[in-house]
Amino acid sequence: MSHGPSGARPGGSAFAGGYAGRVLRVDLSRRTWRTEPLDPGAALRYIGGRGLNMDVLYREVAPGTPGLDPANRLIFGVGPLNGTLFPGAARFNVSAMSPQTGILGDSNAGGFFGPELKFAGYDQVILEGRATSPVYLLITEDGVQFRPAEHLRGLDVWATDAAVHAELRDDRAQVAVAGPAAEHGVKFAGIFANLVRAAARTGMGTVMAAKNVKAVAVRGRRPVTVADPDGFAKLLRGLTAEIKAHSEYQPRRELGTTRLVSALNALGALATRHYQTGRFEAASEVSGEALARRFRIKGKACFACPIPCSRFFRLTDGEFAGLASEGPEFEGLAGFTSRVGNTDLALGLKGVDLCNRYGMDVIGTSEVISFAMELRERGVISDAEADGLELTWGNGRTILALVEKIARREGFGDVLADGVRAAATRIGRGSEALAMHVKGLEFFQADPRGLKGYALGLAVSSRGGDHLRSEPSFEFTGDGPAGQRRFGAAEAAFRLEHKGKGRLVKHFEELCALSDGLNACKNTIVNMEVLDYEQAAEFLRAATGLAFDGAGVQRACERTVNLERLFNAREGLTRADDRLPDRFLNEPLPAGSGPSAGSVVELEPMLDEYYTTRGWDLTNGLPTPAKLTELGLEEEARQVGLKRAAD
Amino acid sequence: MYDLRIVVEEVRGFCDLPLKPGDYVEVKGGRLHLPDGKFFCIWALQALMPMIPAKQRHIVEENDWLPDTQRMVCPDPDGQVIFRFERVPCGDSPAELGGAAARGGVSAQGAPRPAGRAEPPDRLLVSEPACSGCRACELACSFAHERIYSPETARIIVLKDEAAGLDRPSVCRQCGVARCVQACSEAALTRDPATHAVLVDAGRCSGCGACVEACPFGAVRLSTATGRPLICDLCGGTPACAEQCPTGAVVYGRAGKAAAGGGRS
């Protein structure tokens, strides 16, 4: 297959391949930058992306630093396989202290930005301080340009992307944008690349805007090399063949995550009218299948991915004729249909599109809207409080108006713009009990009562209520013998059972940490489980030449999860914070919820099993000295006052 | 093959367009080119049209009238505008191509065939609607050639318009008559006798970029690393991009025939 000489490795880094070997540190206050070598020891300890970001975040952001303070860091990271043909290695992580939750903030997105950062020759970019006036950054292999962005102020994500591309005269640059919502200080504003690829969670866009950075453009012309090209190519052939032979491959090509609307609805676990029930009567009208049938133009994929699970759609008639975009994923689709009781697919797509253009998290946005609708239904608030908008389920005018108001922090939108926890505090009157969040972060469009492993994952997730920290999709398999073999309980393979879920979640949390460390896609690594730690180590050895082994890779993932727990412990979090809203613990899913009816989350026994499996203390939910020693986190633990094993 | 220049030789009547002596239109391959700021009469053009492909080709039939016909007249009896066909030799060197073109015959396909081939050669076919925009083809290309992953050195790139949802793989189509080969004054570009791919002799190439200018598809770039053109060499007959493409957007084959490589999986 090859006809050329081996490509020479540029830059003279300490790595034989995979890693770029450079960290870019940008001081926004002084408008200076410098590069630092990536520490090979840190690479082995944390793999890349999320893990390395956490390492920097833990060391450099002091406890109690407010998310919007210039002392906060905003860290972009990619992994050692980004830029290669490793399937789905298209992502980047962005991390900071979250202005929304006050704890660990971290989010990642696919598309093309992450690989471009690697081609520019960086594994990580650390933004410090705050620019004195709005800027956007142009990052290339030669460093950073600070470019004025006064004229981009207030422009939406799409307009900013177009303006930056026009100024750079380079349509191959990749641009990550903070939209108007971030500029207005909406706490769940994300960072959007490729127009719709959102690092949406925990307010990373809000942090970027607070630093006066409107956009980060990246253009890279360096190659990514691997230490053992033949070995790496052989491993890739095997993995790609395995993915294409997987039973999930075809369904994911056709519908991607949007198939979850009908799949979860069938199970009675689709978040409907703010988790009041698990079945949406109009699910078939707003499903991924309906979207594909009515509006889909073609399949779309992230960089170098063999699964075109995304889609481009266009509306050709009706009120929103002309609306065309890539997307949405399941979270946006269900968020703007079943969660808010909307039966009009086109209107739902418009809602997602508005979030993308303003630069807001569809999960946070759909939670606060559906929260307000339930409050109104229960008589807690009136339409008058919502600036006269009729807060009835599925009211299209209200839904779209609220998105706009939130993005601009106008009127009632200002009440909702800090997230549901803050909104409930402001509204009071018992609304706190109906605020659906964990640790201040809203969560996904499935009802936790219908997926107990996911429920546990939400409760313990290091960034608050989020499914992508664990994604234990094994519990849908119904493969009891595998559950017994892998997690010590046949029940682990059944979504409505709670036994074995502590071990299940530990395993999948670490698999997610692997996926985020590689900045590759969870569709393949976590949902399809196509890569175990030994195989991951083989890829890492072939790519980097470093002495990765299977056990070491697993430990790096476990270390990441533990370090994140320490980060939150430093902010004062304990077991008491690993909880779910009362509804999921006390109110059974109603009779209309099909096979999930009658179910509640048995959280405490799952937590006990989880902490025990993790080697964490059952009373405070923090890593035990023995576990910290095993993972080499004694230094880090000292900062939270945890004792070392030897003490 | 020839390019043509069709010149107004004389206006004996009254042309109210007006076309004037010396006005011309050029035909290069399948394209009409007008000089900047000039126009051409559509009524004359439709009369001239059947002659254009005929005059582009080399015809050996001795009794045929076409080879000797140089002039045509506008169908408007008042105008009496007389056009002269001038032939501009072009095309890949017939000696290199062998086959029908070298023997002076007419190729029914328009595309000269490599010697000894019954069928026209496969070429890379691309499909915008099938393309997911993933750019795996770019990485497959650079890895196949340089053992690195580098869109910057890829011979195939995906042109994208994310707002419009367009993803178009851009790569050499192995033109029958290759403008890049014609444009090269250093004779650094040749055709692979087996695959018909355009090959770059880096030793002869001066990096002038004439081939980049000449390619009607914009499918040739100069490498920022070497300054030499990046032109698809079909990987010697098993193009890595088509092998890698997961959606059938890049296929090695002939239009209308089953794919020889790549395709949907």
Side-chain angles (χ1 to χ4, degrees):
Chain A
M1 202 158 126
S2 156
H3 342 246
S6 263
R9 194 154 43 84
S13 93
F15 298 91
Y19 297 98
R22 295 198 303 172
V23 173
L24 177 65
R25 191 177 285 275
V26 182
D27 185 333
L28 295 164
S29 306
R30 295 191 178 83
R31 301 207 178 193
T32 58
W33 57 271
R34 65 176 194 272
T35 59
E36 300 165 358
L38 178 70
D39 170 16
L44 280 165
R45 267 169 77 79
Y46 290 108
I47 300 174
R50 171 178 151 197
L52 283 173
N53 278 11
M54 290 308 134
D55 186 34
V56 172
L57 197 66
Y58 195 85
R59 284 188 283 107
E60 299 191 13
V61 176
T65 303
L68 302 182
D69 195 278
N72 197 4
R73 301 278 194 265
L74 186 67
I75 310 166
F76 293 80
V78 292
L81 305 184
N82 291 95
T84 74
L85 271 172
F86 186 86
R91 308 187 70 85
F92 66 100
N93 264 72
V94 54
S95 317
M97 179 75 86
S98 166
Q100 181 185 6
T101 62
I103 59 168
L104 183 148
D106 179 56
S107 194
N108 74 50
F112 298 83
F113 183 88
E116 197 70 26
L117 201 54
K118 194 68 165 293
F119 292 127
Y122 307 105
D123 300 301
Q124 200 174 44
V125 177
I126 304 170
L127 304 187
E128 304 180 6
R130 180 178 193 273
T132 48
S133 60
V135 294
Y136 74 90
L137 307 181
L138 171 61
I139 297 176
T140 68
E141 51 270 41
D142 301 323
V144 183
Q145 281 181 34
F146 299 84
R147 301 171 70 108
E150 195 67 55
H151 60 299
L152 304 177
R153 198 197 287 263
L155 286 190
D156 77 21
V157 169
W158 288 46
T160 306
D161 181 275
V164 171
H165 274 116
E167 285 179 25
L168 300 179
R169 296 179 189 203
D170 186 347
D171 55 14
R172 298 207 117 203
Q174 300 299 333
V175 184
V177 178
E183 292 173 271
H184 290 134
V186 174
K187 294 285 173 57
F188 42 87
I191 295 174
F192 286 63
N194 305 114
L195 307 179
V196 299
R197 292 282 172 184
R201 312 237 63 203
T202 68
M204 296 299 96
T206 320
V207 175
M208 189 155 113
K211 291 187 173 301
N212 252 333
V213 176
K214 176 67 178 170
V216 178
V218 182
R219 181 67 164 100
R221 292 190 162 83
R222 288 190 177 188
V224 171
T225 62
V226 289
D228 171 11
D230 288 329
F232 192 76
K234 183 161 177 270
L235 289 168
L236 276 179
R237 278 193 295 277
L239 182 62
T240 306
E242 194 180 335
I243 289 170
K244 289 185 176 176
H246 198 284
S247 60
E248 287 271 300
Y249 181 65
Q250 210 52 41
R252 284 187 183 272
R253 279 184 70 119
E254 283 159 19
L255 292 173
T257 58
T258 65
R259 73 190 169 131
L260 287 170
V261 172
S262 37
L264 286 169
N265 194 59
L267 300 176
L270 180 65
T272 302
R273 294 190 178 83
H274 201 233
Y275 307 96
Q276 296 193 84
T277 180
R279 278 233 166 124
F280 187 43
E281 67 282 359
S284 65
E285 294 161 44
V286 298
S287 64
E289 290 84 348
L291 170 61
R293 192 177 60 244
R294 292 180 60 195
F295 304 127
R296 184 181 188 271
I297 303 284
K298 67 182 227 174
K300 295 279 282 179
C302 294
F303 188 74
C305 184
I307 312 177
C309 76
S310 180
R311 67 217 59 74
F312 195 86
F313 71 88
R314 178 173 289 118
L315 273 50
T316 50
D317 52 21
E319 188 182 350
F320 307 110
L323 171 60
S325 173
E326 185 182 345
E329 296 296 324
F330 162 68
E331 296 300 334
L333 184 58
F336 279 89
T337 55
S338 64
R339 189 175 189 134
V340 295
N342 164 43
T343 61
D344 178 354
L345 175 57
L347 185 114
L349 295 172
K350 180 66 181 177
V352 175
D353 180 61
L354 282 178
C355 285
N356 287 339
R357 288 174 190 266
Y358 285 120
M360 296 194 294
D361 177 20
V362 289
I363 297 180
T365 309
S366 61
E367 164 58 18
V368 293
I369 293 174
S370 57
F371 166 71
M373 288 176 166
E374 185 174 357
L375 291 185
R376 193 266 200 184
E377 185 180 36
R378 293 179 187 274
V380 179
I381 61 170
S382 66
D383 290 346
E385 275 178 86
D387 308 330
L389 290 169
E390 214 176 290
L391 285 169
T392 45
W393 294 113
N395 186 314
R397 191 179 153 262
T398 298
I399 293 166
L400 299 184
L402 279 178
V403 175
E404 306 252 4
K405 280 171 173 288
I406 293 166
R408 301 197 182 105
R409 297 199 79 122
E410 283 171 8
F412 188 56
D414 184 56
V415 176
L416 304 179
D418 289 328
V420 76
R421 182 173 66 184
T425 304
R426 252 171 98 170
I427 293 168
R429 287 166 273 172
S431 66
E432 294 89 341
L434 296 173
M436 299 303 175
H437 69 91
V438 175
K439 303 182 178 80
L441 190 68
E442 301 82 4
F443 49 79
F444 68 165
Q445 320 296 351
D447 194 302
R449 290 167 288 191
L451 338 75
K452 307 291 174 67
Y454 278 80
L456 174 61
L458 296 178
V460 300
S461 154
S462 60
R463 62 172 177 176
D466 192 83
H467 56 292
L468 292 169
R469 276 303 203 247
S470 53
E471 188 87 352
S473 52
F474 174 81
E475 71 176 340
F476 291 107
T477 62
D479 186 347
Q484 183 68 46
R485 190 177 68 247
R486 299 180 61 189
F487 305 110
E491 289 91 334
F494 296 89
R495 65 188 176 91
L496 295 175
E497 302 289 338
H498 70 271
K499 244 182 105 182
K501 295 299 164 72
R503 288 181 289 272
L504 176 80
V505 167
K506 174 185 186 286
H507 173 78
F508 277 92
E509 279 187 326
E510 286 160 17
L511 214 46
C512 284
L514 174 64
S515 191
D516 293 338
L518 297 174
N519 276 115
C521 187
K522 288 175 184 142
N523 281 342
T524 47
I525 293 180
V526 179
N527 297 126
M528 292 184 181
E529 289 197 77
V530 292
L531 193 75
D532 63 24
Y533 293 113
E534 290 300 333
Q535 287 171 295
E538 280 188 84
F539 271 103
L540 287 166
R541 279 198 304 273
T544 70
L546 294 180
F548 282 101
D549 61 60
V553 171
Q554 183 275 326
R555 261 197 313 280
C557 298
E558 189 175 0
R559 186 177 295 118
T560 301
V561 173
N562 277 264
L563 182 65
E564 292 179 349
R565 172 97 352 193
L566 290 181
F567 185 96
N568 288 338
R570 212 166 58 170
E571 301 301 324
L573 267 54
T574 66
R575 172 171 181 155
D577 298 286
D578 293 343
R579 59 186 317 282
L580 291 171
D582 288 345
R583 171 170 292 167
F584 305 116
L585 309 179
N586 304 328
E587 297 173 27
L589 265 168
S593 301
S596 298
S599 179
V600 293
V601 179
E602 301 88 343
L603 186 59
E604 295 305 323
M606 290 199 293
L607 282 174
D608 284 345
E609 184 190 312
Y610 173 77
Y611 299 135
T612 305
T613 310
R614 277 240 163 271
W616 291 356
D617 187 303
L618 277 176
T619 47
N620 63 13
L622 301 182
T624 57
K627 179 53 75 178
L628 292 167
T629 303
E630 180 194 327
L631 296 172
L633 287 171
E634 299 99 323
E635 276 304 313
E636 289 82 352
R638 200 165 289 138
Q639 296 188 21
V640 270
L642 292 175
K643 289 183 175 172
R644 287 189 303 164
D647 293 341
Chain B
M1 292 289 283
Y2 299 93
D3 284 348
L4 305 175
R5 175 181 282 223
I6 307 168
V7 186
V8 177
E9 186 173 85
E10 191 183 348
V11 182
R12 289 187 185 170
F14 171 75
C15 172
D16 64 354
L17 221 51
L19 282 177
K20 294 175 181 156
D23 287 350
Y24 66 93
V25 61
E26 286 180 323
V27 182
K28 295 178 180 174
R31 293 174 167 189
L32 276 181
H33 293 258
L34 286 172
D36 277 350
K38 293 290 193 175
F39 54 82
F40 200 77
C41 171
I42 60 168
W43 308 105
L45 184 63
Q46 67 171 342
L48 298 169
M49 200 69 92
M51 280 292 278
I52 291 176
K55 294 301 288 184
Q56 285 181 300
R57 283 160 177 78
H58 182 71
I59 296 171
V60 289
E61 174 58 52
E62 284 170 13
N63 289 327
D64 200 319
W65 58 279
L66 277 169
D68 297 320
T69 303
Q70 310 296 344
R71 291 178 182 79
M72 288 188 73
V73 68
C74 171
D76 177 355
D78 292 336
Q80 296 183 56
V81 179
I82 296 167
F83 297 93
R84 184 179 70 243
F85 281 84
E86 295 176 356
R87 281 173 149 185
V88 183
C90 77
D92 301 344
S93 158
E96 266 174 43
L97 293 171
R103 291 191 301 274
V106 176
S107 163
Q109 305 296 319
R113 292 174 198 168
R117 255 184 199 273
E119 291 284 300
D122 286 341
R123 44 167 67 164
L124 281 176
L125 307 171
V126 301
S127 163
E128 191 287 319
C131 180
S132 71
C134 80
R135 297 172 53 192
C137 51
E138 299 177 11
L139 295 186
C141 179
S142 69
F143 191 81
H145 291 88
E146 283 107 16
R147 317 277 283 160
I148 58 178
Y149 296 104
S150 173
E152 208 56 23
T153 63
R155 282 106 177 117
I156 180 169
I157 62 171
V158 181
L159 305 175
K160 295 168 76 81
D161 179 343
E162 297 288 11
L166 295 174
D167 310 274
R168 192 165 57 81
S170 170
V171 64
C172 174
R173 316 292 183 87
Q174 294 83 44
C175 296
V177 176
R179 298 282 155 184
C180 55
V181 176
Q182 294 166 12
C184 182
S185 56
E186 310 295 328
L189 301 185
T190 55
R191 302 301 286 258
D192 183 324
T195 64
H196 213 214
V198 175
L199 304 178
V200 182
D201 182 339
R204 298 186 77 107
C205 174
S206 67
C208 73
C211 51
V212 176
E213 298 282 321
C215 176
F217 300 102
V220 180
R221 303 183 292 158
L222 292 186
S223 162
T224 50
T226 65
R228 299 291 178 266
L230 295 165
I231 302 180
C232 171
D233 61 4
L234 291 172
C235 294
T238 49
C241 53
E243 236 168 75
Q244 185 73 37
C245 180
T247 67
V250 181
V251 169
Y252 188 45
R254 294 293 300 187
K257 277 179 48 182
R264 285 176 191 279
S265 38

